[in-house]
Amino acid sequence: MNGRRPELGRLESAALAVVAASSEPLTVSQVQAQLPADPAYTTVMSTLTRLARKGALRQIRDGRAYRYELAAPAASIDDALTARQMRRLLGDGGDRAAVLARFVAELGEDEERLLTELLERTHRPDRGGPP
Amino acid sequence: MIAALMVLLLGLVVSAAVPAGALPLVNRVRPSTVVPLLAVGSVISAASVGVMLSLLAMAVVGRVPAVAALGGWSIATLAVAVPVPLAVGVPAAALAAFLLARTLWRAAHILLLLGRSDRLSRRLRGGGGPIVVIDDLSADAFTLAGLKGAVVISRDLLDALGPAERHMLTGHEMSHLRWRHHLYVHAVDLAVAANPLLSAAADAVRLGVERWADEDAARLIGDRGVAATALARTALVRASLRRAARRDARATLPVLALVGSHVADRARALLAPAPRGAAPTAFMATLLIATIVATVASTLQIHNGFEHAETAWLTGSHASSHRPARPQDRGTAHAITVVGRISRTR
């Protein structure tokens, strides 16, 4: 159903999320270290190679190995048509939720206070997590 | 007829039960189990109510002489075989027509938005991968639906976040994209258009897909507590960036006033242990299978009624027993019946 490009597998999408979250290009072992369930080094390497072949990642030669980063540089939406399409989708009506899922929507005042309290509470009993 | 009303009642009970149980279920059971269950349940329940309303409508519309002549069945036999009172059938027909129109309208709208979203995501990706970082001051992150789809994150939001928050963000959005969460939202939206009683199920599915993506991201991070903190912190960072953006005319994207993504509830759910409750799959399956069987059974029953009426018409017994519902219709009805018979014999 996805045209020429096959859908991403579970490991592929996780690896892509890890690389996208990093502010600098990552080596295979750095990606491996951040993936859950300890996949084998060679598995991670072939996953990253596949993502590069699909055009999702770019390989940067670093000595004898590769580092990986997101293929597309930050896109600019200065281009008038893209900006207009974007504004139309995000802006009109209450129906956008049907098409796009936002990470977090606008916060109400109550919610902001609740979240601040929640952060303070989880931080007191040492770093990293609830009691 | 009694059966048809029973089925309609059953459909309404299911429509009422699905949303009532929906939100508690989302909190108790793994979201990746609950969301598909709710979507399928809503669609089946909406469809069965729609079918039953249409059947009741047909039973009445079938007694309109012009329609009866066109279909070739005896009105008198039909009125006996499928005894739907006008007081039930006429409102059912009106309701069925209204809900059908609503559903079609909704479907057209969803297709339109999907087309736009797909075009935009292809344009943004420009042949690259599904994650697109844009230079913009909107402090936004969202998943665009479509055949390809894309995850769009604005540079200013990404730059303002720490490593755990970034993982939470990218992991969450990739989960939406990979599992095509928007399809569940569309399905339940269509079900709600067809049966407004289900509207609470739509809210539950919307919250459910967010929880699903949160759980996937938490698994990527490997620590639910860290994930919860990251979610809360991202929401607060974004809120303060948005306040700044609102004062900045350079922001290309409109700043939306959309409240209510349940961030606090989601963070709390991540702080609690992973949901392990068993989904009432057996209960739901039984209810839904009962709905389907009852719908099919009463469809067949009404279909049989129409067959009887058709046989009566063909054997000519309608000539004596044919009693149009309203006496003043008799002339026209008879004329149309004759025309119908002629066209049939040709």
Side-chain angles (χ1 to χ4, degrees):
Chain A
M1 81 184 264
N2 212 3
R4 285 158 297 156
R5 192 185 300 273
E7 232 171 295
L8 295 182
R10 185 192 290 271
L11 195 57
E12 283 177 319
S13 71
L16 194 58
V18 165
V19 175
S22 166
S23 45
E24 55 199 23
L26 296 177
T27 64
V28 175
S29 51
Q30 281 170 326
V31 176
Q32 184 196 14
Q34 294 180 48
L35 284 171
D38 295 326
Y41 181 88
T42 49
T43 312
V44 177
M45 188 166 72
S46 61
T47 303
L48 291 173
T49 312
R50 207 159 49 238
L51 282 169
R53 209 174 47 230
K54 286 181 182 177
L57 295 181
R58 185 172 34 227
Q59 295 174 316
I60 301 168
R61 189 164 272 293
D62 178 22
R64 284 171 55 212
Y66 281 121
R67 282 175 182 273
Y68 292 85
E69 67 174 8
L70 275 190
S76 157
I77 56 163
D78 287 344
D79 154 29
L81 181 58
T82 313
R84 200 174 60 232
Q85 283 184 348
M86 190 101 98
R87 202 171 302 124
R88 195 163 58 161
L89 257 185
L90 293 170
D92 76 356
D95 223 356
R96 57 187 162 272
V99 173
L100 15 105
R102 266 199 161 73
F103 182 54
V104 288
E106 219 69 20
L107 293 181
E109 257 174 47
D110 281 356
E111 206 155 29
E112 200 158 342
R113 189 174 40 75
L114 274 171
L115 287 174
T116 316
E117 281 173 15
L118 194 137
L119 279 180
E120 281 167 2
R121 214 165 352 113
T122 48
H123 262 270
R124 216 156 289 149
D126 215 359
R127 164 97 192 90
Chain B
M1 165 54 205
I2 304 277
L5 279 183
M6 292 272 286
V7 175
L8 196 59
L9 206 64
L10 182 64
L12 291 179
V13 168
V14 176
S15 322
V18 168
L23 270 177
L25 268 188
V26 168
N27 293 325
R28 220 160 36 77
V29 184
R30 272 218 329 250
S32 51
T33 311
V34 175
V35 168
L37 203 62
L38 279 177
V40 171
S42 306
V43 168
I44 292 180
S45 145
S48 86
V49 170
V51 167
M52 291 325 301
L53 282 175
S54 315
L55 287 177
L56 291 176
M58 265 177 65
V60 176
V61 173
R63 275 183 245 158
V64 174
V67 178
L70 215 65
W73 53 67
S74 150
I75 294 177
T77 316
L78 186 64
V80 175
V82 190
V84 176
L86 285 183
V88 173
V90 172
L95 193 58
F98 170 71
L99 293 176
L100 184 65
R102 218 172 97 106
T103 310
L104 290 177
W105 175 253
R106 183 81 196 163
H109 197 198
I110 287 175
L111 282 178
L112 175 81
L113 287 178
L114 267 179
R116 282 184 188 170
S117 175
D118 189 58
R119 273 195 302 280
L120 179 58
S121 61
R122 279 165 202 273
R123 195 177 179 83
L124 286 173
R125 285 171 71 147
I131 299 188
V132 181
V133 179
I134 55 171
D135 275 326
D136 188 77
L137 297 171
S138 52
D140 216 347
F142 49 85
T143 303
L144 286 172
L147 285 181
K148 278 201 179 233
V151 168
V152 182
I153 306 172
S154 76
R155 170 60 66 193
D156 60 339
L157 180 60
L158 207 55
D159 284 346
L161 299 175
E165 286 78 29
R166 286 164 160 238
H167 271 130
M168 188 67 196
L169 184 60
T170 56
H172 179 100
E173 298 296 346
M174 280 308 293
S175 167
H176 279 324
L177 192 66
R178 178 175 144 68
W179 299 109
R180 301 198 169 277
H181 285 162
H182 66 98
L183 292 179
Y184 298 107
V185 176
H186 298 328
V188 80
D189 273 355
L190 282 179
V192 169
N195 180 356
L197 290 175
L198 291 167
S199 70
D203 296 341
V205 165
R206 283 202 161 78
L207 175 60
V209 296
E210 296 306 321
R211 287 272 307 112
W212 183 343
D214 284 346
E215 290 290 335
D216 279 357
R219 210 166 304 126
L220 182 70
I221 292 176
D223 183 326
R224 298 175 66 80
V226 172
T229 321
L231 175 63
R233 214 174 272 139
T234 306
L236 292 173
V237 165
R238 179 169 182 273
S240 76
L241 283 175
R242 294 288 260 195
R243 270 195 290 275
R246 217 168 280 148
R247 291 190 292 270
D248 192 332
R250 281 180 302 154
T252 320
L253 297 183
V255 178
L256 301 170
L258 182 74
V259 183
S261 63
H262 301 281
V263 188
D265 292 338
R266 282 161 53 195
R268 230 176 275 126
L270 282 174
L271 284 176
R276 285 184 202 288
T281 320
F283 173 71
M284 289 271 292
T286 313
L287 208 57
L288 292 176
I289 289 172
T291 310
I292 294 173
V293 168
T295 308
V296 171
S298 43
T299 306
L300 288 178
Q301 196 194 0
I302 290 187
H303 177 77
N304 282 344
F306 272 89
E307 295 247 286
H308 273 302
E310 200 169 344
T311 317
W313 191 90
L314 284 175
T315 52
S317 64
H318 70 286
S320 53
S321 70
H322 179 205
R323 284 277 174 277
R326 283 159 298 172
Q328 68 268 29
D329 285 344
R330 176 176 273 161
T332 15
H334 186 69
I336 292 168
T337 314
V338 171
V339 172
R341 201 183 318 171
I342 291 168
S343 66
R344 195 166 263 262
T345 49
R346 254 198 307 189

